[in-house]
Amino acid sequence: MTQPPITDIPAYMADLGRRARTAARALARAATLDKDAALIAIAQHIERERAVIATANRADLDAGAAKGLDAAMLDRLELTPGRIDAMLEGLRQIAALPDPIGAITDLNYRPSGIQVGRMRVPLGVVGIIYESRPNVTADAAGLCLKSGNATVLRGGSESLASNQAIAACIRAGLTQAGLPADGVQVVATTDRAAVGSMIAMPEFIDVIIPRGGKGLIERISRDARVPVIKHLDGICHVYLDAAADPDQALRIVMNAKTQRYGTCNTLETLLVDAPVAATLLPPIAAALAAQGVELRGCPRTLDLVPYALPATDEDWDTEYLAPILSIRILDGLDAAMDHIARHGSAHTDAIVTQDYGRARRFLREVDSSSVMVNASTRFADGFEYGLGAEIGISTDKFHARGPVGLEGLTSLKFVVLGDGQVRA
Amino acid sequence: MTQPPITDIPAYMADLGRRARTAARALARAATLDKDAALIAIAQHIERERAVIATANRADLDAGAAKGLDAAMLDRLELTPGRIDAMLEGLRQIAALPDPIGAITDLNYRPSGIQVGRMRVPLGVVGIIYESRPNVTADAAGLCLKSGNATVLRGGSESLASNQAIAACIRAGLTQAGLPADGVQVVATTDRAAVGSMIAMPEFIDVIIPRGGKGLIERISRDARVPVIKHLDGICHVYLDAAADPDQALRIVMNAKTQRYGTCNTLETLLVDAPVAATLLPPIAAALAAQGVELRGCPRTLDLVPYALPATDEDWDTEYLAPILSIRILDGLDAAMDHIARHGSAHTDAIVTQDYGRARRFLREVDSSSVMVNASTRFADGFEYGLGAEIGISTDKFHARGPVGLEGLTSLKFVVLGDGQVRA
């Protein structure tokens, strides 16, 4: 896997971008059968090269350990046999998804006699910047390929050898299916200047999807010269309405908070309507405490749950990603929606209620990428929503919102069919 | 209309933005009936205040003339009675359009038992930067209001008094309908720093739509800290395929080039397949020349149309917006699509053909916001497409492509309905 050092980063990245841009035209018009054949062929090459990939990954892990990476980082970096299986399964699942490209919708006759419709088309070249998680390389390449986009992938520097080993399989699979190997570019330098180049090449890259820590994403969003599909905070709320079913309330809060602590769709702040707080909250708090969740409450919460800690103003604006939950008792739906508007991150928020009118208002008025009635916030996920897979979750409103699957990697162009019509 | 001078521009713009952001929540949940009532009331106030608006416009025109504005600029600045009628008609038409907000699509049951769908929602606060064309003030406010968005409008400095007179009618109409007057903010300073502030307030403005010259739009796109829906060049092509119907070819080229010279969907480069050039091109060239269109041709064109001027390389990349047409004879569909990919601006491109297979390929493979078969490029327009009205035309692929109507001012959020489901 040794390569000559890359010294002129801007020139190197421009070359990568130019190759991707050229390949994008071929991928945009590629037949579904060929794209699916490439996905299967990539999986076969990865399967065949397991030993090579494992050796490269071993080198990355050894270098990472020598560099003093912590256990969590080393864990994410490792390509266990199970993770390689998951990559293969992911590629095969993407091959089985319907092809979104070329689909024409709303093709209608206009008074002038022309037919006007919209055709789904790729975005072009998608740039993805991610942490040292080499399995993302195959997932991201697969989703972009199926949606007819070329890709420039820049993984964390600690995963360079692993990514290059996977990249070789991707190129081989594309070539085998008769598609341009340049359609997936995996950046082969750890120089951080590569990221700076990537986000400032609108002539070669149409959109950037950063995955990773909030600091990285904020920095990229600030400096990018192209659109960014980004995911920032996930400060998710569950609001227990006066008409909440108590069993549902308990089940949903427990699942939303404790099923996994570190995910963006995990519950961080529980809101409770005052009239039902005395009956609903103590058993839920006890169940959470029994699971080791630290509770931080408003003054009214502390009256009902004396073992909770006092919440500070900062708690309402915090994504814990940890076994900690803030709890606030307030007066009615409007107060709850005000709290969510002020402190939420527009990610995922749920109401638990049997009241039809308040459910309807919550659905319409809460401005988050996922709004739920009587369901766990943990459902906010591309697989659970039936998107097949997701390249990320967008907390923006522009272009794509919420889990981003194949469709988020596409756009719509207008198509017009006539038989000689001209404008009057 | 005299107002105290505004000295602290950033503070002034932040105040405007904050008011718009607050009003946006009320507009997002506003009932269709109330939004429509506001649109009608705004039209009534403009009708009633015709004299006041005319006086303000007269002041703008006098100041503009004293400043030495050219005739075209003064023409755009003028609010003739006919233009005021058109504003009123536009507002009433927008009121009559279906309300896109709140519509839920694709609500399907998932294996987990939850129902997942997508609800159309406003973008939030839309900032619009435009030239000294005061009629745009009412049009833009109307489209944003109907789509549930708050708006910050910044028109050209020469139209300040006219815009403020219209702004007073907008505020009165909103108030009359029980909607927040702060939902439409019309910037009341001519200081150019206001634009700089507007494009760098992601906390208050969600998207910027610049309208005007290419230089302005490029500058805004480069410096903006929020997404921009932008329209750059319109270098539109018509390709006369070997199987083109000669009558359709003549009719479409004449309409696409000569119906209006200054619009973005006007034909700028005619491409002709070599085998039919000798029969198709001379009569079309003669008809164009008879209308006073200057022809600039490739060498093969000059053989057939001796009175054409030689085209330079620059011609293929030029949006004339004038009675000038470049003509190139080439060999077959792939050469035509290569030319369009290299020299086009991804705006609107058409093929004239009776060949099924080549029509199908052109539709799929040409990467432009509008792709047409046997129709004039002049149809690329919100009204002609049935969008009802357009706030602009996007030459981007991200978010919205082509004519942007109400839907382009919206996003989709996920809605989830359950009865206590939790994630396994």
Side-chain angles (χ1 to χ4, degrees), chain A residues 20-36:
Chain A
R21 174 64 78 210
T22 302
R25 265 186 81 192
L27 291 180
R29 65 171 179 256
T32 307
L33 217 59
D34 293 335
K35 293 189 286 189
D36 292 346

Side-chain angles (χ1 to χ4, degrees), chain B residues 245-325:
Chain B
D245 175 285
D247 289 341
Q248 289 188 14
L250 176 67
R251 197 160 63 229
I252 287 170
V253 171
M254 291 308 291
N255 184 260
K257 183 66 227 181
T258 69
Q259 201 221 5
R260 280 183 69 186
Y261 293 116
T263 55
C264 60
N265 54 18
T266 294
L267 169 63
E268 304 291 20
T269 300
L270 176 65
L271 304 173
V272 189
D273 196 11
V276 289
T279 51
L280 288 185
L281 194 49
I284 291 174
L288 288 164
Q291 296 257 349
V293 176
E294 177 184 320
L295 306 177
R296 301 185 185 176
C298 68
R300 291 156 93 180
T301 299
L302 299 184
D303 289 343
L304 294 173
V305 186
Y307 51 90
L309 303 171
T312 64
D313 281 353
E314 204 186 330
D315 277 301
W316 314 124
D317 298 315
T318 300
E319 182 183 20
Y320 300 114
L321 298 171
I324 305 170
L325 178 73

Side-chain angles (χ1 to χ4, degrees), chain A residues 249-314:
Chain A
L250 175 68
R251 197 159 66 228
I252 288 170
V253 171
M254 292 307 292
N255 184 262
K257 182 68 227 180
T258 70
Q259 201 221 4
R260 281 183 69 185
Y261 294 116
T263 55
C264 59
N265 54 19
T266 294
L267 170 63
E268 303 292 19
T269 300
L270 177 64
L271 303 174
V272 189
D273 196 11
V276 291
T279 51
L280 288 184
L281 194 49
I284 291 174
L288 288 164
Q291 296 256 350
V293 176
E294 177 185 317
L295 305 178
R296 302 184 185 175
C298 68
R300 291 155 95 180
T301 300
L302 300 183
D303 289 344
L304 295 172
V305 186
Y307 51 89
L309 303 171
T312 65
D313 280 352
E314 205 185 332

Side-chain angles (χ1 to χ4, degrees), chain B residues 287-368:
Chain B
L288 288 164
Q291 296 257 349
V293 176
E294 177 184 320
L295 306 177
R296 301 185 185 176
C298 68
R300 291 156 93 180
T301 299
L302 299 184
D303 289 343
L304 294 173
V305 186
Y307 51 90
L309 303 171
T312 64
D313 281 353
E314 204 186 330
D315 277 301
W316 314 124
D317 298 315
T318 300
E319 182 183 20
Y320 300 114
L321 298 171
I324 305 170
L325 178 73
S326 55
I327 306 175
R328 186 172 183 188
I329 296 172
L330 30 68
D331 300 294
L333 178 64
D334 283 296
M337 294 197 300
D338 281 345
H339 180 103
I340 291 169
R342 179 162 310 137
H343 301 287
S345 64
H347 190 296
T348 300
D349 299 293
I351 186 173
V352 182
T353 189
Q354 292 297 316
D355 184 90
Y356 172 81
R358 291 195 291 273
R360 199 162 171 256
R361 279 196 62 200
F362 192 89
L363 273 182
R364 166 85 186 244
E365 297 182 29
V366 171
D367 183 26
S368 299

Side-chain angles (χ1 to χ4, degrees), chain B residues 15-30:
Chain B
D15 180 60
L16 243 66
R18 197 173 295 111
R19 288 166 184 270
R21 174 64 79 210
T22 302
R25 267 185 79 193
L27 291 180
R29 65 172 180 257

Side-chain angles (χ1 to χ4, degrees), chain A residues 265-422:
Chain A
N265 54 19
T266 294
L267 170 63
E268 303 292 19
T269 300
L270 177 64
L271 303 174
V272 189
D273 196 11
V276 291
T279 51
L280 288 184
L281 194 49
I284 291 174
L288 288 164
Q291 296 256 350
V293 176
E294 177 185 317
L295 305 178
R296 302 184 185 175
C298 68
R300 291 155 95 180
T301 300
L302 300 183
D303 289 344
L304 295 172
V305 186
Y307 51 89
L309 303 171
T312 65
D313 280 352
E314 205 185 332
D315 278 301
W316 313 125
D317 299 314
T318 300
E319 182 182 20
Y320 300 115
L321 299 170
I324 305 171
L325 179 72
S326 55
I327 306 175
R328 186 172 183 188
I329 296 173
L330 31 68
D331 301 295
L333 178 63
D334 283 296
M337 293 198 298
D338 281 344
H339 180 104
I340 292 169
R342 180 161 308 138
H343 302 286
S345 64
H347 191 295
T348 299
D349 300 292
I351 187 174
V352 182
T353 189
Q354 293 297 315
D355 184 90
Y356 171 80
R358 290 195 292 272
R360 199 161 170 257
R361 280 195 61 199
F362 192 89
L363 274 181
R364 166 86 186 243
E365 296 182 28
V366 171
D367 183 26
S368 299
S369 73
S370 287
V371 185
M372 304 183 167
V373 177
N374 297 337
S376 168
T377 56
R378 287 280 297 129
F379 279 116
D381 173 276
F383 282 102
E384 294 292 340
Y385 283 179
L387 307 183
E390 69 182 35
I391 193 115
I393 293 188
S394 165
T395 52
D396 279 327
K397 291 178 172 183
F398 203 69
H399 189 69
R401 248 194 133 172
V404 178
L406 290 178
E407 194 181 297
L409 297 171
T410 68
S411 182
L412 293 167
K413 72 180 178 189
F414 286 94
V415 292
V416 176
L417 305 180
D419 43 19
Q421 279 82 1
V422 298

